Amino acid sequence: MDKKALRAEIKARKRAMTEAQIDETSRLLARQLFDHPAYRNAKSIFGYLSYNQEVRTLPILEQAQKDGKRVAVPKVLDDRMIFIWLDDLSRVSLGYCGIPEPLDDGPEALDETALVLMPGLAFDPTGRRCGYGGGFYDRYLEAHPRHPTLALCYGFQLFDHLDTDPHDIPVDYVLSQEVAE
């Protein structure tokens, strides 16, 4: 399946989910994350603020702060993405493509060992991913290759094998959860 068809299929499956399914499945994925060594060993979490039917990340970021971790989220500036420290998770507004971003343009988060939570539309068990098509995370990780990376996805987003392009940077860990009934 080509990327265009894959993106259309996953978007349709996500749109079919109820808010209750998204919330419960996100809660179960968060539990998996909090038990994962990559999370437990991280001093900082470079997360993202979910939108549409993505796995809900706000409760994850709140818990990370309670666990004593510093939290940063991405902001798109022109054609590049940077991570901004976000101590107050309410200081956000809609940014690039309607995705929530920090209100402030700084301070830029500089922790090359931070665990990066990776959004995406599809993944495979080896970490290959199909993103949304902007290439922001691939470019960021190419410039910052030491970050451990982890993706949280619904069961229907996990495929046995994905064909990716040479510039697509795989994630280190993929956690998936079947959608709660």
Side-chain angles (χ1 to χ4, degrees):
M1 180 181 316
D2 69 11
K3 283 186 177 182
K4 184 177 180 180
L6 180 66
R7 285 184 175 112
E9 177 185 325
I10 297 299
K11 285 179 181 178
R13 301 247 347 233
K14 286 168 84 177
R15 280 193 302 270
M17 295 174 65
T18 66
E19 285 298 315
Q21 288 175 314
I22 293 168
D23 291 343
E24 178 61 12
T25 307
S26 296
R27 187 185 66 74
L28 295 171
L29 277 164
R31 187 181 308 157
Q32 284 186 52
L33 173 65
F34 300 144
D35 288 339
H36 197 281
Y39 176 84
R40 289 195 314 265
N41 295 331
K43 291 182 175 69
S44 303
I45 303 294
F46 286 9
Y48 59 94
L49 297 165
S50 52
Y51 80 113
N52 291 338
Q53 299 83 22
E54 288 181 320
V55 171
R56 300 294 185 239
T57 56
L58 186 57
I60 290 169
L61 301 178
E62 290 169 342
Q63 184 62 49
Q65 288 178 331
K66 290 176 187 170
D67 291 342
K69 300 177 188 304
R70 192 102 192 259
V71 169
V73 297
K75 183 164 187 163
V76 174
L77 301 172
D78 298 319
D79 63 345
R80 68 187 186 104
M81 180 184 79
I82 64 171
F83 282 87
I84 303 290
W85 292 121
L86 191 59
D87 297 326
D88 179 351
L89 294 171
S90 69
R91 288 196 47 77
V92 299
S93 65
L94 298 183
Y96 176 80
C97 288
I99 300 169
E101 294 183 339
L103 286 171
D104 303 312
D105 291 342
E108 185 172 353
L110 301 172
D111 176 355
E112 293 294 322
T113 64
L115 174 62
V116 177
L117 301 181
M118 299 282 290
L121 285 171
F123 303 89
D124 75 14
T126 66
R128 290 184 193 97
R129 68 184 276 276
C130 175
Y132 291 93
F136 289 103
Y137 278 85
D138 293 316
R139 289 191 299 276
Y140 180 84
L141 291 171
E142 184 177 23
H144 304 274
R146 291 184 32 217
H147 285 286
T149 55
L150 186 146
L152 302 167
C153 68
Y154 305 118
F156 63 79
Q157 292 179 276
L158 188 62
F159 290 78
D160 291 335
H161 175 81
L162 283 180
D163 291 322
T164 56
D165 295 320
H167 64 269
D168 292 331
I169 296 178
V171 297
D172 297 319
Y173 310 102
V174 178
L175 302 180
S176 69
Q177 177 65 51
E178 292 306 317
V179 174
E181 292 298 321

